[in-house]
Amino acid sequence: MVGHLDSKVAVITGAGAGLGQSYAMALAREGASIVVNDIATGQHASFAADETVQLIKDQGGNAVESYADITAIAGGESLLETALDRFGRVDILVNNAGILRDSSLVKMEENQWDAVMQVHLKGLYSATRPIFSWMKESGGGGVIVNCTSTVGLRGNFGQTNYAAAKSGVIGFSSSLALEGKKYGIRVWCLGPAAATSMTAHMPDDYKKVFHIDRVAPALVYMVSNLSGEQTGKTLLAGGGWVGEARFEVHSGYVPNENFDAQDLARAVAEGKVMFPERNPRFVTAYGPVNENRE
Ligand SMILES: NC(=O)c1ccc[n+]([C@@H]2O[C@H](COP(=O)([O-])OP(=O)(O)OC[C@H]3O[C@@H](n4cnc5c(N)ncnc54)[C@H](O)[C@@H]3O)[C@@H](O)[C@H]2O)c1
């Protein structure tokens, strides 16, 4: 059977568990060879990455494990080396590794802030820079997908660190999409919603609807020819719903020479400056904003 990713090589960070494992298996089913990266130990005292590699081999695919910690550039360089040593190239990078260190801001310790920035933002730099550079030099293009979250778009109580990091992922990706354009390197963001260890606190109803395998089809679309030349975009996917998210600027109000705060207040009251309400589709797909969890 012909897959959408036959002869492609994909590197996926944090692929020993959760969504990363689901992505790795889905891309392998489409014919890609996978570098499965994770630092965590798995259920059987081996590395979690080994378990994903075994699952991919069991379904007839190709995969190699990587235990690199992507919070340092050396980890990112080792990811590239593993891909080149084993498969000779890299066509796809999925920056999926993530952690949570939740706390309301007044209780948030410096180490909670730093740990989230290290994995989500420093890890993004460390894993992407070597692979993006290789793609650029190779001249064969590529696709990079960076995992963001609705939390980065609209916030969540107790997650200032995570929200700042996940907004940062979008800014990074918008900039890299511009840098990659003339080399045929496409860059996307993917904001998933799925029942994993990260969302273990969610109610059982959520876990039924947000089944983990309902996100990977969006990833396959993004990294394959199915999405053509699209780049610099963010898709949200999960629970049987997929939609684009973007920062939008209101058409706005052009003040006259009498512009002052009072004048602006009037324009705001007349609906000329701010958006009227949240996009209701966005809210129904992912539930209401959590404003008071402690
Ligand atoms: N589950 C959701 O609903 C949801 C929602 C929005 C965004 N996300 C994002 O999706 C991604 C995957 O989340 P998940 O729910 O599958 O979480 P998960 O905890 O199940 O998996 C994350 C994996 O990343 C690995 N990891 C952490 N630090 C690492 C490092 N330094 N180097 C290599 N690997 C590392 C962990 O060991 C773990 O296996 C994360 O970026 C998360 O922020 C998830």
Side-chain angles (χ1 to χ4, degrees):
M1 213 178 80
V2 181
H4 290 297
L5 302 173
D6 282 342
S7 81
K8 301 289 185 193
V9 175
V11 173
I12 307 179
T13 68
L19 284 160
Q21 182 177 82
S22 167
Y23 298 157
M25 295 182 66
L27 268 49
R29 279 195 298 276
E30 293 295 340
S33 300
I34 315 289
V35 176
V36 176
N37 162 258
D38 209 299
I39 52 167
T41 46
Q43 290 172 5
H44 309 292
S46 60
F47 275 97
D50 294 342
E51 294 172 14
T52 303
V53 167
Q54 192 55 51
L55 289 169
I56 291 173
K57 288 184 174 164
D58 290 348
Q59 64 178 21
N62 281 334
V64 62
E65 67 288 344
S66 148
Y67 313 133
D69 180 348
I70 46 96
T71 58
I73 188 78
E77 284 163 352
S78 124
L79 275 181
L80 174 63
E81 263 166 46
T82 305
L84 297 182
D85 285 353
R86 189 59 180 265
F87 302 123
R89 55 180 304 102
V90 191
D91 304 283
I92 296 160
L93 168 65
V94 184
N95 280 303
N96 165 77
I99 60 167
L100 293 178
R101 294 290 183 270
D102 292 359
S103 181
S104 57
L105 186 66
V106 288
K107 294 181 192 155
M108 188 176 293
E109 301 293 342
E110 191 176 357
N111 61 4
Q112 293 174 287
W113 179 269
D114 288 347
V116 166
M117 295 304 152
Q118 279 292 116
V119 175
H120 292 278
L121 290 181
K122 178 77 184 298
L124 190 55
Y125 162 80
S126 303
T128 308
R129 186 172 166 234
I131 291 177
F132 180 88
S133 307
W134 185 88
M135 287 173 169
K136 182 179 156 195
E137 292 307 315
S138 81
V143 190
I144 298 173
V145 178
N146 301 321
C147 294
T148 184
S149 168
T150 51
V151 173
L153 293 161
R154 66 180 193 182
N156 199 18
F157 192 99
Q159 294 192 321
T160 51
N161 51 357
Y162 183 72
K166 288 306 200 187
S167 289
V169 169
I170 298 175
F172 176 98
S173 306
S174 307
S175 301
L176 196 66
L178 299 175
E179 294 185 19
K181 217 160 190 169
K182 71 175 172 189
Y183 306 106
I185 305 171
R186 302 190 290 126
V187 185
W188 293 88
C189 279
L190 172 60
T196 66
S197 63
M198 199 172 266
T199 49
H201 59 278
M202 297 299 273
D204 286 345
D205 284 358
Y206 174 94
K207 291 176 186 161
K208 264 187 229 143
V209 175
F210 290 86
H211 189 273
I212 195 161
D213 291 333
R214 300 182 91 174
V215 180
L219 179 69
V220 172
Y221 169 79
M222 294 162 110
V223 301
S224 66
N225 288 338
L226 291 170
S227 52
E229 293 183 358
Q230 293 183 84
T231 188
K233 297 181 179 179
T234 298
L235 284 187
L236 305 179
W241 179 87
V242 184
E244 186 183 5
R246 62 183 184 193
F247 290 116
E248 260 189 288
V249 179
H250 194 284
S251 56
Y253 163 68
V254 181
N256 59 27
E257 65 279 5
N258 301 323
F259 184 47
D260 61 14
Q262 191 63 53
D263 177 50
L264 179 58
R266 223 175 358 255
V268 169
E270 288 166 4
K272 294 176 177 168
V273 178
M274 297 186 188
F275 294 112
E277 58 189 42
R278 278 176 193 278
N279 172 355
R281 185 83 169 105
F282 185 80
V283 174
T284 47
Y286 288 103
V289 179
N290 183 358
E291 281 165 353
N292 55 12
R293 179 159 58 86
E294 189 78 79

